[in-house]
Amino acid sequence: ESQRIPSPFDYESQAMLYLPAGMPEPTAPGYVEAVIETCLPLLDAAEGGAFLLFTSHRALAQGAAALRARWDGAAESPILVQGEGPREKLLRDFREHGSAVLLGTESFWEGVDVKGDALRLVVIEKLPFASPDDPLTKARIAFLPRKGENAFRDYQLPEAVLALKQGVGRLIRSETDRGMIVIADPRLLTKGYGRTFRASLPPMPVTQDRDEALRFLRKLR
């Protein structure tokens, strides 16, 4: 039995969830580049102040390369990438600059607190299912059916839902924080299990309209 613990913050008035329309499937070649393309106008509208959260080191490297190649805003908004400096220094630089863009993977999805205006946009590359190649995950997936359990429903899905909630939870860390969550993964709307993910998130306005998303971000500045 999972229980919903309501957020202490008022996401209804403090946040918006943007689910970009027309995204390719996450398995498609060029998916990470498509995520970055979707981010470019959002980063411009927000003038930085963003976390881009990736589900693997490979996607993080692709995302960092694509952003550096395509984003003109980097002159005013430094691009900070996990692995290019100590975690605490990256976070300190992010907080102090106020308009930086930080790209990270697992360790930035949870336990990272940035209160205030420095963080106004959190982009989640895709639903954080554990890699089936991970030895621990592989062993769990093999073992559960022997106990009569469904590996996807009883293990992979709940773990990913929890990870997504933690990633989304980076955005609003105080009563005065405001910002936007972007989940680029189209499976949130196209797959039956997408409902389970959506139901786990704090209630907040949702849009698929890019112009509405851009208007919301411009108002935050």
Side-chain angles (χ1 to χ4, degrees):
E1 267 300 272
S2 68
Q3 59 176 103
R4 286 196 63 180
I5 299 167
S7 165
F9 306 122
D10 178 9
Y11 276 76
E12 287 272 13
S13 64
Q14 289 177 255
M16 178 181 272
L17 174 62
Y18 173 42
L19 306 176
M23 288 298 293
E25 284 296 308
T27 48
Y31 176 74
V32 173
E33 285 76 9
V35 172
I36 295 298
E37 281 297 323
T38 296
C39 286
L40 297 177
L42 304 172
L43 291 171
D44 285 336
E47 293 178 347
F51 271 10
L52 275 51
L53 299 177
F54 294 86
T55 54
S56 68
H57 288 278
R58 185 161 158 253
L60 171 67
Q62 288 174 338
L67 187 62
R68 284 178 166 147
R70 294 182 200 174
W71 191 42
D72 318 333
E76 292 80 43
S77 304
I79 295 173
L80 307 169
V81 180
Q82 178 183 344
E84 293 182 2
R87 182 172 184 261
E88 289 313 312
K89 183 183 185 315
L90 291 174
L91 280 169
R92 191 168 64 243
D93 291 350
F94 182 85
R95 286 190 189 99
E96 286 172 3
H97 188 279
S99 288
V101 178
L102 191 150
L103 288 72
T105 176
E106 291 95 337
S107 71
F108 284 91
W109 283 68
E110 51 187 80
V112 173
D113 240 5
V114 179
K115 293 188 176 75
D117 295 340
L119 180 60
R120 41 200 181 267
L121 175 63
V122 171
V123 178
I124 289 175
E125 168 232 353
K126 68 176 182 211
L127 297 174
F129 286 107
S131 164
D133 302 329
D134 171 71
L136 185 66
T137 306
K138 213 175 208 165
R140 272 297 212 15
I141 291 170
F143 169 71
L144 285 169
R146 285 183 241 151
K147 283 173 55 190
E149 291 186 29
N150 176 309
F152 182 76
R153 189 193 62 224
D154 299 324
Y155 169 58
Q156 290 164 282
L157 183 59
E159 292 278 305
V161 165
L162 186 62
L164 182 69
K165 283 175 73 165
Q166 288 175 326
V168 166
R170 293 315 95 219
L171 181 67
I172 304 291
R173 307 305 299 164
S174 78
E175 281 77 11
T176 54
D177 283 3
R178 297 194 64 220
M180 172 172 281
I181 305 279
V182 181
I183 303 175
D185 193 328
R187 294 175 298 178
L188 207 63
L189 294 167
T190 60
K191 296 277 191 251
Y193 59 71
R195 281 197 298 275
T196 308
F197 282 102
R198 295 201 306 275
S200 76
L201 299 177
M204 59 185 137
V206 184
T207 187
Q208 282 196 277
D209 182 329
R210 195 182 84 153
D211 292 337
E212 190 180 353
L214 294 174
R215 277 196 299 277
F216 179 88
L217 287 169
R218 289 191 193 107
K219 277 206 297 239
L220 294 180
R221 295 201 308 234

